[in-house]
Amino acid sequence: MTALTLPAYAQLSDADEVALSDLFRRGTPPNTLRAWERDLAYIAAWKMAAFGRPLAWPEEEKVALRFILDHAQDLAGKPGPAQDVAQELIAIGLRVALACPAPATLDRRIASWQAFHRMRNLASPFAAPLVQQARQKARRANARPHAPKSPRPVTRDMLESLLATCDDSHRGIRDRAMLMLAFASGGRRRSEVTALNVEDIGRDDFRAKGLLWVRLLETKTTRKDQAPKLPLKGRAARAVMHWLEVTGLREGPLFRPVSKSDRPLPRRLASDALRTILRHRLRSAGLPEDYATPHGLRAGFLTQAALDGAPLAAAMKLSLHRSAVQAQKYYADVEISENPATDLLGD
């Protein structure tokens, strides 16, 4: 597949590149930067198609309002300026369909637009009362049931089924260590697992306590100067140590590709490798490869913590959730199913 070539007006200008290269670029996680760049390309293309002009800084309120209105309705079967703009965006590969985008997608693009205003120390047009009101109404009008990031949480029983497919080859030893670390250290995101280096695994307490310390240099909720150290115990710690012992790794990427001849290669796994590995293990366990996603390991950790009666605050210290409301959702699903009121009619 050839790379998509965007028209000039959908690409970052020199001024935008300068803004991204300053404090925001150095102090923002790479995934967030990539999302900002994609969203700004979309917004710039949309404004050129809708108004025939490039983005302005600060942007006009009428432009912000039109952006909300154009993205708060299903444009299929509705000929007009909004549909014409959407068709142009579809033609250059920046929009998929005429259907109304999910409210979360609209919120993310607006958040990116606001972030670029903050970079320039400018007031955002989305702070205007009329624009805020339109945004709230659009969110309510297009609200959708929450779709989980994984069809199912990977709780302990499912994880055990996956681990049972891991043999004693280098690939099996690696996959076992990755899956156990991702689950047992608090439900790590896939990018956090593949970003780990050998130097991030503290082994001083392993011989005496069977304990490893996993240092996360950067996560979605922490910065490099806040790098948390998370404990890894028992079988999970032994699995990681086994991987280190059989490979003899001393530095560099912790988890690496394994060749067809079962030889670890001297490079880092791709950031999405955990998804590929999970799909392979699901198939090997006799399950559909879309039975769960890597986020299922994170959801599974919190769900299992709730099933085992671990306090929410204790689980959050490992998962590194900043929002108790977000983490509580996993506990709420368990608690309501165990509520005695659900058994009022008996079996």
Side-chain angles (χ1 to χ4, degrees):
M1 182 180 293
T2 58
L4 176 66
T5 301
L6 299 178
Y9 60 76
Q11 299 178 27
L12 300 182
S13 67
D14 291 342
D16 295 329
E17 288 289 357
V18 170
L20 273 173
S21 65
D22 65 6
L23 182 62
F24 274 81
R25 181 177 287 280
R26 290 182 283 111
T28 304
N31 287 347
T32 302
L33 286 175
R34 285 191 289 271
W36 280 353
E37 291 173 341
R38 288 194 302 268
D39 290 340
L40 190 65
Y42 179 92
I43 294 163
W46 170 86
K47 187 183 177 186
M48 183 60 73
F51 291 90
R53 302 195 306 271
L55 293 174
W57 305 100
E59 192 53 85
E60 300 173 76
E61 290 180 15
K62 69 176 183 180
V63 173
L65 185 60
R66 168 78 182 274
F67 185 78
I68 292 172
L69 296 177
D70 278 9
H71 294 82
Q73 55 183 318
D74 189 335
L75 298 175
K78 293 183 179 179
Q83 189 191 82
D84 293 342
V85 171
Q87 292 282 20
E88 183 169 335
L89 295 175
I90 291 171
I92 62 176
L94 288 175
R95 182 165 176 159
V96 177
L98 294 174
C100 180
T105 301
L106 178 59
D107 284 346
R108 193 198 69 237
R109 287 175 174 154
I110 290 174
S112 297
W113 207 342
Q114 290 175 310
F116 277 89
H117 277 80
R118 289 196 300 272
M119 290 179 190
R120 295 163 171 79
N121 198 28
L122 298 172
S124 166
F126 292 97
L130 180 61
V131 178
Q132 284 187 331
Q133 187 177 36
R135 188 177 175 186
Q136 291 169 358
K137 290 183 179 298
R139 190 181 291 115
R140 286 198 294 268
N142 296 299
R144 303 175 184 181
H146 173 69
K149 293 181 181 179
S150 177
R152 296 168 186 81
V154 180
T155 51
R156 187 187 295 120
D157 288 345
M158 187 191 300
L159 180 62
E160 294 289 3
S161 297
L162 302 180
L163 296 177
T165 71
C166 298
D167 58 19
D168 290 329
S169 65
H170 280 111
R171 189 181 303 276
I173 294 169
R174 181 202 64 188
D175 291 0
R176 184 184 298 113
M178 283 187 70
L179 292 171
M180 294 186 81
L181 182 148
F183 180 91
S185 64
R188 302 273 54 87
R189 300 176 180 88
R190 59 182 187 271
S191 60
E192 294 169 358
V193 175
T194 55
L196 286 171
N197 290 319
V198 175
E199 299 90 328
D200 296 324
I201 305 299
R203 289 171 267 183
D204 292 346
D205 292 328
F206 182 74
R207 187 178 297 276
K209 302 178 182 178
L211 174 67
L212 296 177
W213 291 96
V214 180
R215 179 182 62 176
L216 298 175
L217 283 181
E218 195 164 358
T219 74
K220 190 175 180 180
T221 56
T222 61
R223 303 187 305 269
K224 289 182 180 178
D225 61 345
Q226 301 171 326
K229 286 188 176 182
L230 303 175
L232 192 67
K233 297 180 177 181
R235 293 169 58 203
R238 293 193 295 273
V240 172
M241 281 298 296
H242 187 42
W243 166 249
L244 289 172
E245 288 166 356
V246 298
T247 57
L249 294 176
R250 295 291 179 266
E251 60 182 7
L254 175 62
F255 295 119
R256 308 176 182 212
V258 175
S259 69
K260 290 182 178 179
S261 60
D262 201 39
R263 180 173 59 87
L265 301 176
R267 64 174 186 268
R268 188 179 304 279
L269 283 167
S271 60
D272 201 39
L274 187 57
R275 182 184 299 277
T276 303
I277 289 169
L278 181 60
R279 285 176 174 173
H280 170 67
R281 293 302 163 187
L282 285 167
R283 289 195 304 270
S284 299
L287 297 169
E289 66 175 23
D290 60 353
Y291 194 79
T293 69
H295 191 270
L297 291 163
R298 187 164 175 78
F301 169 80
L302 285 167
T303 301
Q304 193 64 57
L307 289 168
D308 291 355
L312 176 62
M316 286 178 62
K317 284 186 177 180
L318 288 178
S319 69
L320 301 180
H321 274 86
R322 285 188 299 189
S323 168
V325 174
Q326 184 70 26
Q328 175 63 37
K329 292 178 182 179
Y330 301 99
Y331 274 62
D333 289 344
V334 171
E335 290 166 357
I336 197 168
S337 67
E338 301 298 322
N339 190 321
T342 62
D343 294 321
L344 294 182
L345 286 179
D347 295 331

